Amino acid sequence: MTSRKLEGKVAILTGGARGIGVHYSRALAQEGARVAIFDLADGENLAADINSVEGRDAARFFRVDVSDESAVRAGIASVAAWAGDVGILVNNAAVFATLGDVRVTELDVDLWDKVMAVNVRGPFLMVKHVAPMMIGKGAGKIVNISSGSAYKGLAFMSHYVTSKGAMLGFTRALARELGAHNLNINSLAPGLIMSDSISANQEHLDTNRDRVVASRALKRDGYPEDLLGGLIFLCSSDSDFMTGQTLLVDGGSVNI
Ligand SMILES: NC(=O)c1ccc[n+]([C@@H]2O[C@H](COP(=O)([O-])OP(=O)(O)OC[C@H]3O[C@@H](n4cnc5c(N)ncnc54)[C@H](O)[C@@H]3O)[C@@H](O)[C@H]2O)c1
């Protein structure tokens, strides 16, 4: 049997109950980690299914709004009580697939603030309260999920694209600040991925799907499975000398 790359590790994955996050949850458990799924959407059945597939106490669901500091603090304390110190944090939760196209001149301020609260404040709060455990152990892996749209831009999604651009700066700032404690902070930037969630947003697909596939060197749709190798790489010791970087997994659309 080949050794599993995350054996004995404790991971928190935000937004792990829906869309791409379901695939991340399963992949982290499959590599041996114990996975705490933080989401507002229900992840009880997913955690139960992972536990039955793995035949161990591999996953737990915690209903946590990542934009709420007291909820984040309480959720992380519950994970520590369940599984011990957290060694892996994947900041995947975001307001994304539910967004409709909107012109910047018509964008409601409350919606802008909501996207920033979940997509930017959320990762900050998670790092604020998880990093002390990692610093205490002198090791940790943080993966911030960005997007190819932060490089290329995307019309009618200025709130979302801005929030994903923030993940690139956040990743670099954290890499500089926390590197002295031996923490690795990297970003994973997917291109358009046919998650269950975005597949239900016909307007987004109508605006973007054909154009995006045509822009790629690899002329096909991307799927959640395409991201798993990159995710596990960034969460495992295979990337121990890599920090402050962004792994673009987009079929060769950006930067080639
Ligand atoms: N699908 C794509 O094409 C694509 C491309 C690039 C980047 N991404 C990024 O990948 C991630 C997952 O995307 P997805 O396609 O699965 O879409 P999605 O919208 O289903 O994923 C977001 C997840 O975050 C959760 N969430 C939302 N608000 C939350 C909150 N306040 N607290 C906790 N959880 C919350 C949702 O319930 C969901 O599980 C997002 O960060 C997205 O920006 C997706």
Side-chain angles (χ1 to χ4, degrees):
M1 185 180 150
T2 53
S3 67
R4 303 202 286 178
K5 289 183 182 291
L6 307 179
E7 201 70 62
K9 302 289 184 190
V10 178
I12 298 181
L13 165 65
T14 70
R18 288 286 179 275
I20 299 170
V22 172
H23 299 260
Y24 289 163
S25 297
R26 293 187 188 282
L28 291 166
Q30 204 177 348
E31 286 296 341
R34 296 178 102 180
V35 187
I37 300 164
F38 281 20
D39 210 313
L40 283 178
D42 190 18
E44 291 287 4
N45 290 344
L46 173 64
D49 188 55
I50 290 172
N51 290 336
S52 114
V53 169
E54 287 290 316
R56 64 189 174 95
D57 188 17
R60 291 252 176 117
F61 169 64
F62 300 86
R63 194 176 304 277
V64 174
D65 177 348
V66 296
S67 68
D68 175 345
E69 184 164 23
S70 57
V72 165
R73 197 188 287 112
I76 292 167
S78 302
V79 175
W82 167 50
D85 281 347
V86 176
I88 298 168
L89 167 64
V90 182
N91 278 316
N92 170 71
V95 179
F96 169 55
T98 51
L99 291 172
D101 287 358
V102 56
R103 292 178 197 284
V104 67
T105 48
E106 288 159 19
L107 213 165
D108 186 73
V109 169
D110 288 342
L111 178 58
W112 177 276
D113 288 347
K114 166 82 180 166
V115 169
M116 295 304 151
V118 176
N119 298 16
V120 183
R121 189 204 300 159
F124 150 63
L125 291 175
M126 291 300 303
V127 169
K128 178 178 175 184
H129 294 288
V130 167
M133 277 187 245
M134 295 177 168
I135 291 168
K137 297 198 82 150
K141 299 274 180 183
I142 298 173
V143 180
N144 296 314
I145 304 299
S146 179
S147 164
S149 66
Y151 289 81
K152 300 197 295 180
L154 182 57
F156 313 122
M157 292 280 276
S158 58
H159 42 0
Y160 172 76
V161 175
T162 302
S163 75
K164 290 294 160 176
M167 288 302 94
L168 304 179
F170 187 49
T171 295
R172 291 186 181 121
L174 295 179
R176 290 281 178 198
E177 183 171 332
L178 300 175
H181 301 283
N182 196 38
L183 270 57
N184 302 82
I185 299 94
N186 291 293
S187 176
L188 177 64
L192 178 61
I193 295 293
M194 300 302 288
S195 64
D196 298 348
S197 323
I198 202 65
S199 297
N201 185 337
Q202 196 56 48
E203 181 186 36
H204 189 86
L205 298 187
D206 287 349
T207 313
N208 298 295
R209 188 176 182 177
D210 292 349
R211 181 185 53 76
V212 165
V213 171
S215 76
R216 290 177 173 158
L218 303 170
K219 307 269 177 216
R220 67 164 175 85
D221 284 323
Y223 296 97
E225 291 78 3
D226 290 313
L227 303 174
L228 302 181
L231 178 80
I232 299 302
F233 170 66
L234 293 177
C235 291
S236 75
S237 59
D238 286 349
S239 56
D240 273 356
F241 199 48
M242 184 173 158
T243 196
Q245 305 303 305
T246 300
L247 199 57
L248 270 156
V249 183
D250 70 345
S253 177
V254 175
N255 282 351
I256 63 167

